Amino acid sequence: MFDKCEICGRYADLERHHVFGGCRRQTSEKYGAVVFICSECHRNITDEKGPDIHAEWQEKLMRENGWSTGDFIQIFGWNYL
């Protein structure tokens, strides 16, 4: 079964991508900062050829959780804005 890629909109077998990866992967999982994307977008985003979704997700998480920028930095250790 194919689903729609959250970046390009193409229907494909999707892969799970943690928006804030590496040492922040568990925190991404905890707060739902996970997107389902096609393998091409996943390859591009990890090679930094794709869109930078960090700022968009920071704003989304701050809005949804009522966090300030300082709150976000305390939780994720970085400011993407």
Side-chain angles (χ1 to χ4, degrees), residues 15 37-50:
E15 300 174 358
I37 56 180
C38 69
S39 60
E40 185 175 340
C41 285
H42 202 185
R43 195 171 37 255
N44 287 340
I45 215 164
T46 55
D47 290 344
E48 298 181 6
K49 295 176 187 169

Side-chain angles (χ1 to χ4, degrees), residues 59-78:
E59 289 175 339
K60 175 182 167 117
L61 290 173
M62 288 170 55
R63 185 175 55 253
E64 289 176 353
N65 293 288
W67 297 338
S68 67
T69 301
D71 295 331
F72 182 89
I73 293 169
Q74 187 173 17
I75 294 165
F76 282 92
W78 196 261

Side-chain angles (χ1 to χ4, degrees), residues 9-21:
R10 182 178 21 194
Y11 286 91
D13 284 327
L14 302 182
E15 300 174 358
R16 183 181 190 88
H17 174 70
H18 293 86
V19 175
F20 307 103

